[in-house]
Coordinates of all heavy atoms in Angstrom, one line a residue:
M1 N 60.1 113.0 89.7 CA 60.0 111.7 88.9 C 60.1 110.6 89.9 O 60.9 110.6 90.8 CB 61.1 111.7 87.9 CG 61.1 110.5 87.0 SD 62.1 110.6 85.6 CE 63.4 109.5 86.0
N2 N 59.4 109.5 89.6 CA 59.4 108.3 90.4 C 60.7 107.6 90.2 O 61.3 107.6 89.2 CB 58.2 107.4 90.1 CG 56.9 108.0 90.4 OD1 56.8 109.0 91.2 ND2 55.8 107.5 89.8
A3 N 61.1 106.9 91.3 CA 62.3 106.1 91.2 C 62.0 104.9 90.3 O 60.9 104.4 90.2 CB 62.7 105.6 92.6
L4 N 63.0 104.4 89.6 CA 62.9 103.2 88.8 C 62.6 102.0 89.7 O 63.3 101.9 90.8 CB 64.1 103.0 87.9 CG 64.4 104.1 87.0 CD1 65.8 103.9 86.3 CD2 63.3 104.3 86.0
K5 N 61.7 101.2 89.4 CA 61.4 100.0 90.2 C 61.4 98.8 89.4 O 61.1 98.8 88.2 CB 60.0 100.2 90.8 CG 59.9 101.5 91.8 CD 58.8 101.4 92.7 CE 58.6 102.7 93.5 NZ 59.5 102.9 94.5
L6 N 61.7 97.7 90.1 CA 61.6 96.3 89.5 C 60.5 95.6 90.2 O 60.3 95.8 91.4 CB 62.9 95.6 89.6 CG 64.2 96.3 88.9 CD1 65.4 95.4 89.3 CD2 64.0 96.3 87.4
S7 N 59.9 94.6 89.5 CA 59.0 93.7 90.1 C 59.8 92.8 91.1 O 61.0 92.7 91.0 CB 58.2 92.9 89.1 OG 59.1 92.0 88.5
K8 N 59.1 92.1 91.9 CA 59.7 91.2 92.8 C 60.5 90.1 92.1 O 61.6 89.7 92.4 CB 58.6 90.5 93.8 CG 59.2 89.4 94.7 CD 60.0 90.0 95.8 CE 60.3 88.9 96.8 NZ 61.7 88.7 97.0
E9 N 59.9 89.6 91.0 CA 60.5 88.6 90.2 C 61.8 89.1 89.5 O 62.8 88.5 89.4 CB 59.5 88.0 89.1 CG 58.4 87.3 89.6 CD 57.3 88.2 90.1 OE1 57.2 89.4 89.8 OE2 56.5 87.7 91.0
Q10 N 61.7 90.4 89.0 CA 62.9 91.0 88.4 C 64.0 91.2 89.4 O 65.2 91.1 89.2 CB 62.5 92.3 87.8 CG 61.6 92.2 86.5 CD 61.1 93.5 86.0 OE1 60.7 94.4 86.8 NE2 60.9 93.6 84.7
Q11 N 63.6 91.7 90.6 CA 64.6 91.9 91.7 C 65.3 90.5 92.0 O 66.5 90.5 92.2 CB 63.9 92.4 93.0 CG 63.4 93.8 92.8 CD 62.7 94.3 94.1 OE1 62.8 93.7 95.2 NE2 62.0 95.4 93.9
D12 N 64.5 89.5 92.2 CA 65.1 88.2 92.5 C 66.1 87.7 91.4 O 67.1 87.2 91.7 CB 64.0 87.1 92.7 CG 63.1 87.4 94.0 OD1 63.6 88.2 94.8 OD2 62.0 86.8 94.1
E13 N 65.7 87.9 90.2 CA 66.5 87.5 89.1 C 67.8 88.3 89.0 O 68.9 87.8 88.8 CB 65.8 87.6 87.7 CG 66.6 87.3 86.5 CD 67.0 85.8 86.5 OE1 66.3 84.9 87.1 OE2 68.0 85.5 85.9
A14 N 67.6 89.6 89.3 CA 68.8 90.5 89.3 C 69.8 90.1 90.4 O 71.0 90.1 90.2 CB 68.4 92.0 89.5
I15 N 69.2 89.8 91.6 CA 70.1 89.4 92.7 C 70.8 88.1 92.3 O 72.1 87.9 92.6 CB 69.3 89.3 94.0 CG1 68.9 90.7 94.5 CG2 70.0 88.5 95.1 CD1 68.0 90.8 95.6
R16 N 70.1 87.1 91.8 CA 70.8 85.9 91.4 C 71.9 86.2 90.3 O 72.9 85.6 90.4 CB 69.7 84.9 90.8 CG 68.9 84.2 91.9 CD 68.1 83.0 91.3 NE 67.1 83.5 90.2 CZ 65.9 83.9 90.5 NH1 65.4 84.0 91.7 NH2 65.1 84.2 89.5
T17 N 71.6 87.0 89.4 CA 72.6 87.4 88.4 C 73.8 88.0 89.0 O 75.0 87.7 88.7 CB 72.0 88.4 87.3 OG1 70.9 87.7 86.7 CG2 73.0 88.8 86.3
I18 N 73.6 88.9 90.0 CA 74.8 89.6 90.6 C 75.5 88.5 91.4 O 76.8 88.5 91.4 CB 74.2 90.7 91.6 CG1 73.7 91.9 90.7 CG2 75.3 91.2 92.6 CD1 72.9 92.9 91.5
Q19 N 74.8 87.7 92.1 CA 75.5 86.6 92.9 C 76.3 85.7 91.9 O 77.5 85.4 92.3 CB 74.5 85.8 93.7 CG 74.0 86.6 94.9 CD 72.8 85.9 95.6 OE1 72.0 85.3 95.0 NE2 72.7 86.1 96.9
S20 N 75.8 85.3 90.9 CA 76.5 84.5 89.8 C 77.7 85.2 89.3 O 78.8 84.6 89.2 CB 75.6 84.1 88.7 OG 74.6 83.2 89.1
Y21 N 77.5 86.5 89.0 CA 78.7 87.2 88.5 C 79.8 87.2 89.5 O 81.0 87.0 89.1 CB 78.3 88.7 88.1 CG 79.5 89.5 87.8 CD1 80.0 89.5 86.5 CD2 80.1 90.4 88.7 CE1 81.1 90.3 86.2 CE2 81.2 91.1 88.4 CZ 81.7 91.1 87.2 OH 82.8 91.8 86.8
F22 N 79.5 87.6 90.7 CA 80.6 87.7 91.7 C 81.2 86.3 92.0 O 82.5 86.2 92.1 CB 80.0 88.3 93.1 CG 80.1 89.7 93.2 CD1 79.1 90.5 92.5 CD2 81.1 90.4 93.8 CE1 79.2 91.9 92.6 CE2 81.2 91.8 93.9 CZ 80.2 92.5 93.2
E23 N 80.4 85.3 91.9 CA 81.0 83.9 92.1 C 81.9 83.5 90.9 O 83.0 83.1 91.1 CB 79.9 82.9 92.3 CG 80.3 81.5 92.4 CD 81.1 81.2 93.7 OE1 80.7 81.8 94.7 OE2 82.0 80.4 93.7
E24 N 81.4 83.7 89.7 CA 82.1 83.3 88.5 C 83.3 84.2 88.2 O 84.4 83.7 87.8 CB 81.2 83.2 87.3 CG 80.2 82.1 87.4 CD 79.1 82.2 86.4 OE1 79.2 82.9 85.4 OE2 78.0 81.6 86.5
E25 N 83.2 85.5 88.3 CA 84.2 86.4 87.8 C 85.2 86.8 88.9 O 86.3 87.1 88.6 CB 83.5 87.7 87.3 CG 82.7 87.5 86.1 CD 83.4 87.0 84.9 OE1 84.6 87.4 84.7 OE2 82.9 86.2 84.1
R26 N 84.7 86.8 90.2 CA 85.6 87.3 91.2 C 85.9 86.2 92.3 O 86.7 86.4 93.2 CB 84.9 88.5 91.9 CG 84.7 89.6 90.9 CD 84.0 90.8 91.6 NE 84.7 91.2 92.8 CZ 85.2 92.3 93.0 NH1 85.2 93.3 92.0 NH2 85.8 92.7 94.1
G27 N 85.2 85.0 92.2 CA 85.4 84.0 93.1 C 84.9 84.3 94.5 O 85.4 83.8 95.5
E28 N 83.9 85.2 94.6 CA 83.4 85.7 95.9 C 81.9 85.2 96.0 O 81.1 85.3 95.1 CB 83.4 87.2 96.0 CG 84.8 87.8 95.9 CD 84.8 89.3 95.9 OE1 83.9 89.9 96.6 OE2 85.6 89.9 95.2
E29 N 81.6 84.7 97.2 CA 80.2 84.4 97.4 C 79.5 85.6 98.1 O 80.0 86.1 99.1 CB 80.1 83.2 98.4 CG 78.7 82.6 98.5 CD 78.7 81.3 99.2 OE1 79.6 80.5 99.0 OE2 77.8 81.2 100.1
L30 N 78.5 86.0 97.4 CA 77.7 87.2 97.9 C 76.4 86.7 98.5 O 75.6 86.0 97.8 CB 77.5 88.1 96.7 CG 77.7 89.6 96.9 CD1 79.1 89.9 97.4 CD2 77.4 90.3 95.6
G31 N 76.1 87.2 99.6 CA 74.8 86.8 100.3 C 73.7 87.7 99.7 O 74.0 88.7 98.9
D32 N 72.5 87.4 100.0 CA 71.3 88.2 99.5 C 71.4 89.7 99.9 O 71.1 90.5 99.0 CB 70.0 87.6 100.0 CG 69.7 86.2 99.4 OD1 70.3 85.9 98.4 OD2 68.7 85.6 99.9
L33 N 71.8 90.0 101.1 CA 71.9 91.3 101.5 C 73.0 92.1 100.7 O 72.7 93.2 100.3 CB 72.2 91.4 103.1 CG 72.1 92.8 103.7 CD1 70.7 93.4 103.4 CD2 72.4 92.7 105.1
A34 N 74.1 91.5 100.6 CA 75.2 92.2 99.8 C 74.8 92.4 98.4 O 75.0 93.4 97.8 CB 76.5 91.4 99.9
A35 N 74.1 91.3 97.8 CA 73.7 91.4 96.4 C 72.6 92.5 96.3 O 72.6 93.2 95.3 CB 73.2 90.1 95.9
W36 N 71.7 92.6 97.2 CA 70.7 93.6 97.3 C 71.4 95.0 97.3 O 70.9 96.0 96.6 CB 69.8 93.5 98.4 CG 68.8 94.6 98.5 CD1 68.8 95.6 99.4 CD2 67.7 94.8 97.7 NE1 67.7 96.4 99.1 CE2 67.0 96.0 98.1 CE3 67.1 94.1 96.6 CZ2 65.9 96.4 97.4 CZ3 66.0 94.6 95.9 CH2 65.4 95.8 96.4
G37 N 72.5 95.2 98.0 CA 73.2 96.4 98.1 C 73.7 96.8 96.7 O 73.7 98.0 96.3
V38 N 74.3 95.8 96.0 CA 74.8 96.1 94.7 C 73.7 96.5 93.8 O 73.8 97.4 93.0 CB 75.6 94.9 94.2 CG1 76.0 95.0 92.7 CG2 76.8 94.6 95.0
L39 N 72.6 95.8 93.8 CA 71.4 96.1 93.0 C 70.9 97.5 93.3 O 70.6 98.3 92.4 CB 70.3 95.1 93.2 CG 69.0 95.3 92.4 CD1 69.3 95.4 90.9 CD2 68.0 94.3 92.8
D40 N 70.8 97.8 94.6 CA 70.4 99.2 95.0 C 71.3 100.3 94.4 O 70.9 101.3 93.9 CB 70.3 99.3 96.5 CG 69.7 100.6 96.9 OD1 68.6 101.0 96.5 OD2 70.4 101.3 97.7
L41 N 72.6 100.0 94.5 CA 73.6 100.9 93.9 C 73.3 101.1 92.4 O 73.3 102.2 91.9 CB 75.0 100.4 94.1 CG 76.1 101.2 93.3 CD1 76.3 102.6 94.0 CD2 77.4 100.4 93.4
F42 N 73.2 100.0 91.7 CA 72.9 100.1 90.3 C 71.6 100.9 90.0 O 71.6 101.7 89.1 CB 72.8 98.7 89.6 CG 74.1 98.0 89.5 CD1 74.1 96.6 89.2 CD2 75.3 98.6 89.7 CE1 75.3 95.9 89.1 CE2 76.5 97.9 89.6 CZ 76.5 96.5 89.3
M43 N 70.6 100.6 90.7 CA 69.3 101.2 90.5 C 69.3 102.7 90.8 O 68.6 103.5 90.1 CB 68.2 100.5 91.3 CG 67.9 99.1 90.8 SD 67.3 98.9 89.2 CE 65.8 99.8 89.2
T44 N 70.0 103.1 91.9 CA 69.9 104.5 92.2 C 71.0 105.3 91.5 O 70.7 106.5 91.2 CB 70.2 104.7 93.7 OG1 71.4 104.1 94.1 CG2 69.0 104.1 94.5
Q45 N 72.1 104.7 91.1 CA 73.2 105.5 90.5 C 73.4 105.3 89.1 O 73.8 106.2 88.3 CB 74.6 105.1 91.2 CG 74.6 105.4 92.8 CD 74.3 106.9 93.1 OE1 74.9 107.8 92.4 NE2 73.4 107.2 94.0
L46 N 73.1 104.1 88.6 CA 73.4 103.8 87.2 C 72.1 103.8 86.3 O 72.1 104.2 85.1 CB 74.1 102.5 87.0 CG 75.5 102.4 87.7 CD1 76.1 101.0 87.5 CD2 76.4 103.5 87.2
A47 N 71.0 103.3 86.9 CA 69.8 103.2 86.1 C 69.3 104.5 85.4 O 68.9 104.5 84.3 CB 68.7 102.5 86.9
P48 N 69.5 105.6 86.1 CA 69.0 106.9 85.5 C 69.8 107.2 84.2 O 69.2 107.7 83.2 CB 69.3 107.9 86.6 CG 69.1 107.2 87.9 CD 69.7 105.9 87.6
F49 N 71.1 106.9 84.1 CA 71.8 107.1 82.9 C 71.3 106.2 81.8 O 71.1 106.6 80.7 CB 73.3 106.8 83.1 CG 74.0 107.7 84.0 CD1 74.4 107.4 85.3 CD2 74.3 109.0 83.6 CE1 75.0 108.3 86.2 CE2 75.0 109.9 84.4 CZ 75.3 109.5 85.7
I50 N 71.0 104.9 82.2 CA 70.6 104.0 81.1 C 69.1 104.4 80.7 O 68.8 104.4 79.5 CB 70.5 102.5 81.7 CG1 72.0 102.1 82.0 CG2 69.9 101.6 80.8 CD1 72.2 100.9 82.9
Y51 N 68.3 104.8 81.6 CA 66.9 105.2 81.3 C 66.9 106.4 80.4 O 66.2 106.4 79.4 CB 66.2 105.6 82.6 CG 64.8 106.1 82.5 CD1 63.8 105.2 82.3 CD2 64.6 107.4 82.5 CE1 62.5 105.7 82.2 CE2 63.3 107.9 82.3 CZ 62.2 107.0 82.2 OH 60.9 107.5 82.1
N52 N 67.8 107.4 80.7 CA 67.9 108.6 79.8 C 68.4 108.2 78.4 O 67.9 108.8 77.4 CB 68.7 109.6 80.5 CG 68.1 110.3 81.7 OD1 66.8 110.2 81.8 ND2 68.8 110.9 82.5
Q53 N 69.3 107.3 78.4 CA 69.9 106.9 77.0 C 68.7 106.2 76.3 O 68.6 106.5 75.1 CB 71.0 106.0 77.2 CG 71.6 105.5 75.9 CD 72.2 106.6 75.0 OE1 72.9 107.4 75.5 NE2 71.7 106.6 73.8
A54 N 67.9 105.4 76.9 CA 66.8 104.7 76.3 C 65.8 105.7 75.8 O 65.3 105.6 74.6 CB 66.2 103.7 77.2
L55 N 65.5 106.7 76.5 CA 64.6 107.8 76.1 C 65.2 108.5 74.9 O 64.5 108.8 73.9 CB 64.4 108.8 77.2 CG 63.4 108.4 78.3 CD1 63.3 109.5 79.3 CD2 62.1 108.0 77.7
G56 N 66.5 108.8 74.9 CA 67.1 109.4 73.8 C 67.0 108.6 72.5 O 66.7 109.1 71.4
D57 N 67.3 107.3 72.7 CA 67.2 106.4 71.5 C 65.7 106.3 71.0 O 65.5 106.4 69.8 CB 67.6 104.9 71.9 CG 69.1 104.9 72.2 OD1 69.9 105.8 71.9 OD2 69.5 103.8 72.8
A58 N 64.8 106.3 71.9 CA 63.4 106.3 71.5 C 63.0 107.6 70.8 O 62.3 107.6 69.8 CB 62.5 106.1 72.7
R59 N 63.5 108.7 71.3 CA 63.3 110.0 70.7 C 63.8 110.1 69.3 O 63.2 110.5 68.3 CB 63.9 111.1 71.5 CG 63.5 112.5 71.2 CD 64.1 113.5 72.2 NE 63.6 113.4 73.5 CZ 64.3 113.0 74.6 NH1 65.5 112.7 74.5 NH2 63.7 112.9 75.8
T60 N 65.0 109.5 69.1 CA 65.7 109.4 67.8 C 64.8 108.6 66.8 O 64.6 109.0 65.7 CB 67.1 108.9 67.9 OG1 67.8 109.8 68.7 CG2 67.7 108.7 66.5
T61 N 64.3 107.5 67.3 CA 63.5 106.6 66.5 C 62.2 107.2 66.1 O 61.8 107.2 64.9 CB 63.3 105.2 67.2 OG1 64.5 104.6 67.5 CG2 62.4 104.3 66.4
V62 N 61.5 107.9 67.0 CA 60.3 108.6 66.7 C 60.6 109.7 65.7 O 59.8 109.9 64.8 CB 59.7 109.2 68.0 CG1 58.6 110.1 67.7 CG2 59.2 108.0 68.9
N63 N 61.6 110.5 65.9 CA 61.9 111.6 64.9 C 62.1 111.0 63.5 O 61.7 111.6 62.6 CB 63.1 112.4 65.4 CG 62.8 113.3 66.6 OD1 61.6 113.6 66.8 ND2 63.8 113.6 67.3
Q64 N 62.8 109.9 63.5 CA 63.1 109.3 62.1 C 61.8 108.8 61.5 O 61.6 109.0 60.3 CB 64.1 108.1 62.2 CG 65.5 108.5 62.5 CD 66.4 107.4 62.9 OE1 65.9 106.2 63.2 NE2 67.7 107.6 62.9
R65 N 60.9 108.2 62.3 CA 59.7 107.7 61.8 C 58.8 108.9 61.3 O 58.1 108.8 60.4 CB 58.9 106.9 62.8 CG 59.6 105.6 63.2 CD 59.1 104.4 62.4 NE 60.0 103.3 62.6 CZ 59.7 102.3 63.5 NH1 58.6 102.3 64.2 NH2 60.5 101.3 63.6
M66 N 58.8 110.0 62.1 CA 58.0 111.2 61.8 C 58.5 111.8 60.5 O 57.7 112.2 59.6 CB 58.0 112.2 62.9 CG 57.3 111.8 64.2 SD 55.5 111.4 63.9 CE 55.0 113.1 63.6
A67 N 59.8 111.8 60.3 CA 60.3 112.3 59.0 C 59.9 111.5 57.9 O 59.5 112.0 56.8 CB 61.8 112.4 59.1
S68 N 59.9 110.2 58.1 CA 59.5 109.2 57.0 C 58.0 109.4 56.7 O 57.6 109.4 55.5 CB 59.8 107.8 57.4 OG 59.3 106.9 56.5
M69 N 57.2 109.6 57.7 CA 55.8 109.8 57.5 C 55.5 111.1 56.8 O 54.6 111.2 56.0 CB 55.0 109.8 58.9 CG 54.9 108.4 59.5 SD 54.2 108.4 61.1 CE 52.7 109.3 60.9
E70 N 56.3 112.1 57.1 CA 56.1 113.4 56.5 C 56.4 113.3 55.0 O 55.7 113.8 54.1 CB 57.1 114.5 57.1 CG 56.8 115.9 56.6 CD 57.6 116.9 57.3 OE1 58.5 116.6 58.1 OE2 57.3 118.1 57.1
E71 N 57.5 112.5 54.7 CA 57.8 112.3 53.3 C 56.7 111.5 52.6 O 56.3 111.8 51.4 CB 59.1 111.5 53.2 CG 60.3 112.3 53.5 CD 61.6 111.3 53.6 OE1 61.5 110.2 53.2 OE2 62.6 111.9 54.1
D72 N 56.1 110.5 53.2 CA 55.0 109.7 52.7 C 53.8 110.7 52.4 O 53.1 110.5 51.4 CB 54.6 108.6 53.6 CG 55.7 107.5 53.7 OD1 56.6 107.5 52.8 OD2 55.6 106.7 54.6
L73 N 53.5 111.6 53.4 CA 52.4 112.5 53.2 C 52.6 113.4 52.0 O 51.7 113.7 51.3 CB 52.2 113.3 54.5 CG 51.6 112.4 55.7 CD1 51.6 113.3 56.9 CD2 50.2 111.9 55.3
F74 N 53.8 113.9 51.9 CA 54.1 114.8 50.7 C 53.9 114.0 49.4 O 53.5 114.5 48.4 CB 55.5 115.4 50.8 CG 55.6 116.6 51.7 CD1 56.4 116.6 52.8 CD2 54.9 117.8 51.4 CE1 56.5 117.8 53.6 CE2 54.9 118.9 52.1 CZ 55.8 118.9 53.3
A75 N 54.3 112.7 49.4 CA 54.2 111.9 48.2 C 52.7 111.7 47.8 O 52.4 111.5 46.7 CB 54.9 110.6 48.4
L76 N 51.8 111.8 48.8 CA 50.4 111.6 48.6 C 49.7 112.9 48.0 O 48.6 112.8 47.5 CB 49.6 111.2 49.8 CG 50.0 109.8 50.4 CD1 49.3 109.6 51.7 CD2 49.6 108.8 49.4
E77 N 50.4 114.0 48.1 CA 49.7 115.2 47.6 C 49.5 115.2 46.1 O 50.3 114.6 45.4 CB 50.7 116.4 47.9 CG 50.7 116.9 49.3 CD 51.5 118.2 49.5 OE1 52.1 118.7 48.6 OE2 51.4 118.7 50.6
R78 N 48.4 115.7 45.8 CA 48.0 115.7 44.3 C 48.5 117.0 43.7 O 48.5 118.0 44.3 CB 46.5 115.6 44.2 CG 46.0 114.3 44.8 CD 44.5 114.2 44.7 NE 44.1 113.1 45.4 CZ 43.2 112.2 44.8 NH1 42.6 112.4 43.7 NH2 42.9 111.1 45.5
K79 N 48.9 116.8 42.4 CA 49.3 118.0 41.7 C 48.1 118.9 41.4 O 47.1 118.4 41.1 CB 50.0 117.6 40.4 CG 51.3 116.8 40.7 CD 52.1 116.7 39.4 CE 53.2 115.7 39.4 NZ 54.2 115.8 40.4
L80 N 48.4 120.2 41.6 CA 47.3 121.1 41.3 C 47.2 121.4 39.8 O 48.2 121.4 39.1 CB 47.6 122.4 42.1 CG 47.7 122.3 43.6 CD1 48.1 123.7 44.2 CD2 46.3 121.9 44.2
P81 N 46.0 121.5 39.4 CA 45.8 121.7 37.9 C 46.4 123.1 37.6 O 46.3 124.0 38.3 CB 44.3 121.7 37.7 CG 43.7 121.8 39.0 CD 44.7 121.4 40.0
K82 N 47.0 123.2 36.4 CA 47.5 124.4 35.9 C 46.4 125.3 35.4 O 45.5 124.9 34.8 CB 48.5 124.2 34.8 CG 49.7 123.5 35.3 CD 50.7 123.4 34.2 CE 51.9 122.6 34.8 NZ 53.0 122.6 33.9
T83 N 46.4 126.5 35.8 CA 45.4 127.5 35.4 C 46.0 128.4 34.3 O 47.2 128.8 34.4 CB 44.9 128.4 36.5 OG1 46.0 129.0 37.1 CG2 44.2 127.5 37.6
S84 N 45.2 128.6 33.3 CA 45.8 129.5 32.2 C 45.1 130.9 32.4 O 43.9 131.0 32.6 CB 45.5 129.0 30.9 OG 44.1 128.6 30.7
R85 N 45.9 131.9 32.4 CA 45.4 133.3 32.5 C 45.8 134.1 31.4 O 46.7 134.1 30.7 CB 45.9 133.9 33.8 CG 45.3 133.2 35.0 CD 45.6 134.0 36.2 NE 45.1 133.2 37.3 CZ 44.8 133.7 38.4 NH1 44.8 135.0 38.6 NH2 44.3 133.0 39.4

């Protein structure tokens, strides 16, 4: 499986967010390289958990929709005429 990747714009935004967090919450100024290290940690160690959870959520949604569609299809069935023998 391919590694999860962000576009350059997404990476830049993530780095700015990490830097802001460290400044506001911890009073630490983080340079670009340090913020990149934090982002790399998140992407390699945490993102797969989040990705798998998202897939699980999508799977649940698809299964619910399929069940609903199955009910709709059964509702469309026509009653068979009764035969007398």
Side-chain angles (χ1 to χ4, degrees):
M1 182 165 108
N2 295 340
L4 299 172
K5 298 200 187 282
L6 299 176
S7 70
K8 174 73 169 121
E9 293 79 21
Q10 290 170 324
Q11 290 175 17
D12 291 344
E13 179 64 26
I15 288 172
R16 284 191 299 273
T17 300
I18 291 166
Q19 289 170 323
S20 288
Y21 172 81
F22 272 81
E23 178 68 34
E24 293 171 13
E25 297 296 324
R26 301 176 52 118
E28 299 176 36
E29 189 171 317
L30 224 55
D32 289 348
L33 186 59
W36 176 255
V38 172
L39 177 59
D40 185 58
L41 171 71
F42 289 167
M43 292 300 295
T44 59
Q45 300 300 315
L46 301 177
F49 292 106
I50 297 165
Y51 178 84
N52 288 342
Q53 179 63 49
L55 284 178
D57 292 348
R59 193 175 294 112
T60 297
T61 298
V62 167
N63 287 337
Q64 289 170 346
R65 297 264 171 98
M66 291 300 291
S68 176
M69 287 176 50
E70 187 174 13
E71 290 171 11
D72 292 344
L73 289 172
F74 277 119
L76 292 173
E77 282 187 355
R78 297 178 186 228
K79 296 193 189 307
L80 299 175
K82 294 185 181 188
T83 58
S84 50
R85 290 191 186 210

